Amino acid sequence: MATTTRNGSSTDLEATGTFRSNLGEAGGSLKQAAVDTGDALKNAAIAAGEELRVGKANLKADLADSALAGIAAAELAGGAAREQMDQLMDKGRDLLDSAAELVRERPLVSFGVAFAAGWMIAKLARGNSNR
């Protein structure tokens, strides 16, 4: 049984004891909540790290796919450019062949055309230098 004191009663002592006990329980609960929060943060950080690694791997794979697609497109464009260049070269050769054939068939006309073209170019060149 509790004894009475000058300043308080036995009920005050019991209330103080209960209050201390409740404070102890609250402190323990807060400590456990802090531990649980730390564990949750640690687990969240681990999960975030794993997601970042997965995201990084996916990004690398996507970039590699893009690079391969770009290389394939460049190869196709290069092939198309080569094909067009070959066609232009063939047309140029055909034009030279037809010009050579024209010179063989009509040498005087070809000489006259060449002379006239040369005379016009010379006239234009002299005309620009006098100004």
Side-chain angles (χ1 to χ4, degrees), residues 77-90:
R82 274 190 298 278
E83 186 176 317
Q84 287 181 351
M85 186 64 179
D86 290 342
Q87 288 174 357
L88 286 173
M89 293 296 288
D90 289 342

Side-chain angles (χ1 to χ4, degrees), residues 86-101:
D86 290 342
Q87 288 174 357
L88 286 173
M89 293 296 288
D90 289 342
K91 286 181 182 179
R93 285 186 204 106
D94 291 344
L95 185 61
L96 284 175
D97 290 343
S98 66
E101 186 177 326

Side-chain angles (χ1 to χ4, degrees), residues 51-120:
E51 284 295 318
L52 283 174
R53 280 189 285 280
V54 168
K56 185 178 174 183
N58 289 341
L59 176 65
K60 283 182 180 180
D62 291 343
L63 288 175
D65 291 344
S66 295
L68 291 174
I71 289 170
E75 287 175 352
L76 287 174
R82 274 190 298 278
E83 186 176 317
Q84 287 181 351
M85 186 64 179
D86 290 342
Q87 288 174 357
L88 286 173
M89 293 296 288
D90 289 342
K91 286 181 182 179
R93 285 186 204 106
D94 291 344
L95 185 61
L96 284 175
D97 290 343
S98 66
E101 186 177 326
L102 181 67
V103 169
R104 275 188 234 114
E105 288 176 4
R106 298 189 176 125
L108 289 177
V109 173
S110 300
F111 177 76
V113 170
F115 180 78
W119 181 81
M120 290 172 94

Side-chain angles (χ1 to χ4, degrees), residues 10-26:
S10 66
T11 313
D12 289 341
L13 288 175
E14 287 176 17
T16 303
T18 304
F19 179 71
R20 285 185 181 167
S21 173
N22 288 342
L23 276 179
E25 274 185 51

